[in-house]
Amino acid sequence: MKGVRIFRIVIWCFVVVVATGLLILGRDLNVRPGDVADASNPSSPAIGKPFRLVSHKGQIVDNDVLDGKPYLAFFGFTHCPDICPTTLFELTDLMAELGSTADKFNVIFISVDPERDTETMLNGYMTSFDPRIMALRGTPEQTATAVKAFAAYSRKVPTDGGNYTMDHTAGVYLMDADGSFKGTLDMHEPREVRLQKIRKLVAGSV
């Protein structure tokens, strides 16, 4: 019996250590749990409100432009060291896997750093990813409106040397052809689960 108690204590200590590590990792990757609303929860903030931004190719993009076609939306910035480029590469890979199905939905990458993410900066940055992904930017006011439109979060965080980084919501929003929020895409989910979510979104069955 004494041996069993010791074993249980060791197991619980291990669980606590792992859970603490995951919380720290989430903080370091700018992931803020609960920032992305739950589509199944009626008390969640409304997502899909009006916004108006400009793409890295100089095109105005708003709700009317996106209307009629499902889309995936993701917030980030070009100076992001890890989660933003990783997510964009993952989306690029998923779009390649989906083939012609990827032509049936849009993907927008909304910059939360209008100060540094100029149209020229975004135009060069996006050459590394699927050309169908649209990077969007706006004035600080337009950016704030877009963040609120998705009930998201962003905040400028000063760093050493007078520089700064951006803390922001890191989930990928799934929006249907009517602009209604249908859930999120988690890049930590199995690949097939992510592909299935996108296929269902395109089919209108999410």
Side-chain angles (χ1 to χ4, degrees):
M1 290 297 292
K2 185 176 181 181
V4 173
R5 288 186 61 191
I6 294 175
F7 176 74
R8 288 177 176 173
I9 292 172
V10 171
I11 291 298
W12 275 111
C13 288
F14 176 75
V15 170
V16 170
V17 169
V18 171
T20 302
L22 289 174
L23 287 173
I24 294 173
L25 178 62
R27 181 192 62 195
D28 291 342
L29 292 179
N30 291 333
V31 177
R32 298 178 60 84
D35 278 345
V36 178
D38 180 359
S40 64
N41 185 355
S43 65
S44 293
I47 293 176
K49 293 181 179 179
F51 68 92
R52 181 183 177 91
L53 299 167
V54 179
S55 78
H56 64 288
K57 296 182 179 179
Q59 302 166 323
I60 294 176
V61 177
D62 58 15
N63 305 73
D64 291 336
V65 171
L66 295 169
D67 188 45
K69 196 173 182 179
Y71 69 93
L72 280 59
F74 168 62
F75 289 89
F77 61 113
T78 62
H79 286 69
C80 178
D82 39 49
I83 191 67
C84 303
T86 298
T87 299
L88 286 168
F89 276 123
E90 289 283 350
L91 290 172
T92 294
D93 187 50
L94 291 173
M95 292 171 78
E97 174 73 15
L98 289 165
S100 60
T101 300
D103 294 326
K104 298 178 181 179
F105 63 90
N106 289 314
V107 180
I108 60 175
F109 169 62
I110 303 175
S111 170
V112 294
D113 188 9
E115 181 178 336
R116 294 181 295 195
D117 288 348
T118 63
E119 185 178 317
T120 301
M121 172 68 79
L122 287 172
N123 202 26
Y125 185 73
M126 296 308 294
T127 58
S128 298
F129 313 110
D130 191 293
R132 291 167 292 188
I133 300 176
M134 294 183 286
L136 308 182
R137 70 172 305 277
T139 65
E141 294 75 20
Q142 289 173 325
T143 301
T145 296
V147 170
K148 290 179 181 178
F150 288 88
Y153 165 91
S154 71
R155 182 172 66 93
K156 189 175 183 179
V157 181
T159 58
D160 295 336
N163 295 317
Y164 67 90
T165 187
M166 298 297 298
D167 188 16
H168 62 89
T169 297
V172 178
Y173 296 79
L174 298 173
M175 311 295 292
D176 69 12
D178 295 324
S180 298
F181 175 58
K182 292 300 179 180
T184 60
L185 203 64
D186 185 345
M187 291 306 166
H188 297 93
E189 294 173 319
R191 179 184 178 83
E192 189 52 45
V193 171
R194 287 176 277 154
L195 289 169
Q196 185 179 39
K197 282 186 176 183
I198 296 175
R199 291 189 180 106
K200 286 184 176 180
L201 181 71
V202 171
S205 59
V206 174

